[in-house]
Amino acid sequence: MTELSARRAGRPKVHAEPVLWLGFSAGGVVVSLLLPVLILLFGLALPLGWVDIDYRHLLAVVGNPVTVVLTALALIAMLVHAGHRFRYTLYDGLQLKHRGLIAVICYGLAIIGSIAAVVILIMVAVAS
């Protein structure tokens, strides 16, 4: 249904673009808040011995269902953000013309990555 025929029918045309921008924004916020903390903690503080951590306690926290759900949501938002950003980088930066194919590839990879992340989180939760 075209936009003109939708207007004639009395209802606006529904677009998926605002939902994708919502996922992009959520992922950007999650990345900007969590990634520096995770890099500092697991990239510097733990290897350099600045903090002492009990790995059994960390495994118990990771195995908690609430932690699994929140981590999965954060990872999904980050992957949607990355897919959306990469899509528009290809459109605007490289001036590629195959918009439909690029969108399918970018969001398809985000979906595959999300499924893999959820499976790995569930496997870690079950193993703990």
Side-chain angles (χ1 to χ4, degrees), residues 1 4-6 14 26 28 30 48 51 62 80 84 102 120 126 128:
M1 176 180 285
L4 181 60
S5 63
V14 178
V30 170
L48 296 177
V51 293
V62 171
V80 169
H84 199 71
I102 290 171
I120 291 171
V126 169
S128 63

Side-chain angles (χ1 to χ4, degrees), residues 51-75:
V51 293
D52 190 25
I53 191 166
D54 181 15
Y55 286 98
R56 287 179 295 171
H57 179 72
L58 181 62
L59 194 58
V61 170
V62 171
N64 188 324
V66 174
T67 304
V68 170
V69 169
L70 292 177
T71 305
L73 290 175
L75 289 173

Side-chain angles (χ1 to χ4, degrees):
M1 176 180 285
T2 64
E3 189 170 345
L4 181 60
S5 63
R7 270 195 228 146
R8 286 182 184 159
R11 56 183 176 200
K13 184 178 179 184
V14 178
H15 295 277
E17 198 70 20
V19 175
L20 296 175
W21 280 104
L22 178 67
F24 174 77
S25 299
V29 169
V30 170
V31 166
S32 65
L33 291 177
L34 292 182
L35 207 53
V37 174
L38 292 175
I39 289 172
L40 178 67
L41 182 63
F42 292 107
L44 291 175
L46 282 175
L48 296 177
W50 296 345
V51 293
D52 190 25
I53 191 166
D54 181 15
Y55 286 98
R56 287 179 295 171
H57 179 72
L58 181 62
L59 194 58
V61 170
V62 171
N64 188 324
V66 174
T67 304
V68 170
V69 169
L70 292 177
T71 305
L73 290 175
L75 289 173
I76 290 169
M78 285 188 238
L79 288 168
V80 169
H81 176 85
H84 199 71
R85 182 175 291 274
F86 191 65
R87 174 185 170 198
Y88 279 95
T89 299
L90 293 176
Y91 289 165
D92 298 334
L94 298 179
Q95 302 290 319
L96 298 179
K97 302 295 181 202
H98 304 285
R99 290 184 171 255
L101 178 63
I102 290 171
V104 167
I105 290 172
C106 290
Y107 296 123
L109 288 174
I111 290 171
I112 291 170
S114 299
I115 292 170
V118 169
V119 168
I120 291 171
L121 285 172
I122 290 173
M123 288 172 53
V124 168
V126 169
S128 63

